[in-house]
Amino acid sequence: MILIVEDDLLIRMNAIDMVRQMGIDVLEAADADEAVKLLESVPEITVVFTDIQMPGSMDGLRLAEVIRHRWPPVLLLITSGQVSPAAADIPPGAQFIPKPYFSAQLHEQLEMLAGGRA
C-alpha cells in the first residue's frame, strides 16, 4: 500500500489515479502530520510518496527522516517541482522524482524503489 502525501489536491488526485492504475492500493494525506497518523494506524503502508514543500509542522524531507527512524522498512519516494535536494538531504534508500512526472516515470521509480514489489 502506498501513502501519497501532497498538499495540492489536484496533484494528489492525479498521483492517486496513476498509482491505482498500476493496481496498487493507495492512502492519501494532505500534510506530514496526517501522514504520521496514518503510518501509526495502518501497518500495511509499505511506500510513502511525498512532496517536499508542504505546510504544517514538517516538510517532506523531515517527514522522510521521521519515517526512516520510526518505520525503517517503509520505502520512500520524494518529489518536488521547486526543490532539487542534495543527495545528502535524502534518507538512505530513498528515491527522488522531479515534478512534473508522468505515469510511466512514476511506475519506473516505484519499480526501482521496491525492487519489483510495487
Side-chain angles (χ1 to χ4, degrees):
M1 177 176 294
I2 293 180
L3 172 58
I4 296 175
V5 188
E6 169 65 62
D7 62 311
D8 183 300
L9 179 62
L10 293 177
I11 293 172
R12 188 169 69 241
M13 293 289 101
N14 190 43
I16 289 167
D17 287 344
M18 287 182 194
V19 171
R20 283 191 177 142
Q21 287 175 4
M22 294 175 208
I24 302 169
D25 291 329
V26 181
L27 287 176
E28 62 180 288
D31 60 37
D33 299 314
E34 187 178 348
V36 168
K37 288 177 187 171
L38 285 167
L39 284 159
E40 290 172 341
S41 63
V42 183
E44 295 83 10
I45 296 169
T46 58
V47 178
V48 173
F49 178 32
T50 184
D51 188 20
I52 291 177
Q53 295 181 299
M54 293 182 295
S57 68
M58 64 183 112
D59 67 9
L61 290 175
R62 179 70 184 122
L63 172 62
E65 290 175 19
V66 168
I67 291 168
R68 186 54 68 235
H69 282 80
R70 290 185 64 187
W71 298 278
V74 172
L75 303 172
L76 298 166
L77 182 57
I78 299 167
T79 190
S80 179
Q82 300 175 1
V83 176
S84 185
D89 294 334
I90 297 176
Q95 296 287 333
F96 177 77
I97 183 173
K99 290 180 185 176
Y101 49 82
F102 299 96
S103 184
Q105 293 168 306
L106 181 57
H107 186 94
E108 180 181 320
Q109 286 291 328
L110 290 171
E111 287 287 327
M112 284 193 312
L113 185 67
R117 289 184 306 162

